[in-house]
Amino acid sequence: MANPVVEEYYTNPEGKLRLGIILSNTRLDVDNPTLREWCLVTIRNLTSWSDKIRLDLKALELIEVAPEGKKALDDLGMRDVFQKEVDKLKRKNEKGDLEFDYSNVHFSQVDF
């Protein structure tokens, strides 16, 4: 169910900037706890409407959590839970080390 207007907007530079803002708000905000949920719904809808947007998001690299984020996870007692979820996206390589496995990320079946 592609929506060409949505796809055209979010694949141009201004739309990509706005999509980045949406993605950056997929973290817990103590002052506005529902913001994260609305951002996740937006991403789910965008990825279900557009193969191009889904592929663009799939191409993003997983980056490390900022030190402030790690401190916030520690303060909430959620760091172990977070790490467990991140480790689900990893596989052991030949050396036995955990590496991020891109085959575990499926934007065609987003389940937020």
Side-chain angles (χ1 to χ4, degrees), residues 20-60:
I21 292 168
I22 293 168
L23 288 169
S24 69
N25 283 293
T26 57
R27 65 191 186 325
L28 182 61
D29 182 350
V30 177
D31 297 326
N32 189 2
T34 60
L35 177 63
R36 176 183 181 272
E37 306 312 313
W38 283 112
C39 289
L40 293 175
V41 167
T42 302
I43 293 167
R44 183 193 66 207
N45 289 337
L46 288 172
T47 57
S48 68
W49 291 336
S50 169
D51 291 334
K52 171 76 170 110
I53 294 171
R54 187 178 318 115
L55 292 172
D56 285 351
L57 290 176
K58 188 175 183 177
L60 295 176

Side-chain angles (χ1 to χ4, degrees), residues 9 17 22 37 48 51 72 74 79 85 88 93 105-106:
Y9 177 75
L17 178 63
I22 293 168
E37 306 312 313
S48 68
D51 291 334
D74 287 336
R79 188 158 184 182
E85 292 300 313
K88 287 180 183 178
N93 62 15
V105 179
H106 304 284

Side-chain angles (χ1 to χ4, degrees), residues 61-103:
E61 298 275 332
L62 179 68
I63 58 172
E64 184 64 35
V65 176
E68 309 86 51
K70 288 181 181 178
K71 182 179 179 330
L73 287 169
D74 287 336
D75 292 345
L76 293 169
M78 298 292 294
R79 188 158 184 182
D80 291 338
V81 173
F82 173 80
Q83 192 58 51
K84 182 178 175 185
E85 292 300 313
V86 170
D87 287 345
K88 287 180 183 178
L89 300 173
K90 297 180 179 181
R91 295 269 189 261
K92 287 189 177 181
N93 62 15
E94 300 84 37
K95 298 177 185 177
D97 299 326
L98 287 176
E99 288 184 337
F100 184 67
D101 182 2
Y102 292 96
S103 67

